[in-house]
């Protein structure tokens, strides 16, 4: 019998977001802004404005990546869209694009682990080992569960 990982229920994330959202907007943001940013965007279908905390990685100046498995929000970025990010207490504009191609997602996951080490991706939904570099097969398997949003920051802050 295959062992499955435990995943917190959605209501857990909703409750956590209600606490983290105001924290990221406050002067106390350094408590969480090293790993979390606030993503504000307009829904592609609904037109509603959403603000959600997401884990992020900065692979290069001017670029931010967000990974996730439970990422219904990412479908809003199948077409490039302008969003606002609250990064380390600063509001910045960015162009967001979803990366959904399985091989591209696997390559980006591997690239991040090469740059930052095996513990770089701590999201339990990705399922990467924390004590070693994942194999290519593990990266491709993770790409079935994970999507990536790439954010290109605007020049003006």
């Amino acid at each position: 019998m295959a062992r499955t990982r435990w995943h917190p229920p959605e209501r857990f994330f909703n409750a956590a977001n209600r606490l983290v959202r105001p924290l990221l907007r406050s002067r106390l943001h350094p408590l969480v802004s090293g790993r979390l940013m606030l993503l504000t965007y307009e829904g592609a279908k609904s037109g509603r404005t959403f603000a959600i905390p997401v884990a992020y990685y900065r692979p290069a100046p001017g670029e931010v990546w967000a990974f996730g498995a439970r990422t219904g929000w990412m479908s809003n970025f199948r077409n490039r869209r302008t969003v606002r990010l609250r990064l380390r207490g600063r509001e910045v504009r960015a162009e967001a694009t979803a990366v959904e191609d399985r091989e591209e997602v696997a390559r980006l996951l591997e690239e991040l682990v090469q740059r930052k080490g095996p513990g770089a991706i701590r999201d339990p939904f990705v399922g990467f080992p924390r004590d070693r570099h994942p194999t290519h097969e593990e990266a491709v398997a993770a790409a079935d569960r994970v999507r990536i949003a790439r954010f290109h920051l605007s020049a003006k802050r």
Side-chain angles (χ1 to χ4, degrees):
M1 184 173 180
R3 197 169 158 196
T4 59
R5 289 177 166 240
W6 177 82
H7 299 293
E10 189 172 331
R11 68 180 177 269
F12 168 81
F13 290 103
N14 292 338
N17 286 349
R18 281 193 297 275
L19 295 172
V20 174
R21 213 178 352 256
L23 186 58
L24 284 167
R25 290 179 175 132
S26 79
R27 292 159 85 192
L28 297 174
H29 73 84
L31 296 172
V32 292
S33 65
R35 290 209 7 89
L36 296 174
M37 68 177 176
L38 190 63
L39 164 63
T40 304
Y41 67 95
E42 195 173 285
K45 291 181 183 175
S46 69
R48 289 179 39 208
T49 299
F50 297 92
I52 58 170
V54 296
Y56 72 92
Y57 305 91
R58 294 196 73 171
E63 187 172 1
V64 176
W65 298 351
F67 294 78
R70 292 184 166 192
T71 54
W73 57 266
M74 224 177 270
S75 63
N76 286 283
F77 310 129
R78 287 192 172 120
N79 296 317
R80 183 176 281 254
R81 300 179 58 108
T82 301
V83 299
R84 290 189 331 263
L85 306 177
R86 189 150 190 86
L87 273 170
R88 296 186 178 253
R90 297 185 131 189
E91 190 89 18
V92 295
R93 291 207 178 279
E95 294 294 318
T97 307
V99 179
E100 297 181 295
D101 176 72
R102 183 178 184 215
E103 284 299 319
E104 179 71 2
V105 169
R107 186 187 69 70
L108 292 172
L109 291 169
E110 289 174 310
E111 179 183 326
L112 182 64
V113 171
Q114 277 299 116
R115 288 182 185 187
K116 305 267 185 179
I121 301 174
R122 296 184 213 157
D123 187 326
F125 295 110
V126 176
F128 269 5
R130 293 186 183 175
D131 59 343
R132 63 175 172 77
H133 288 261
T135 64
H136 180 68
E137 291 75 25
E138 288 171 323
V140 171
D144 286 335
R145 298 183 299 277
V146 175
R147 295 297 169 259
I148 298 175
R150 293 176 91 166
F151 302 94
H152 298 279
L153 306 181
S154 298
K156 288 186 177 182
R157 290 198 178 233

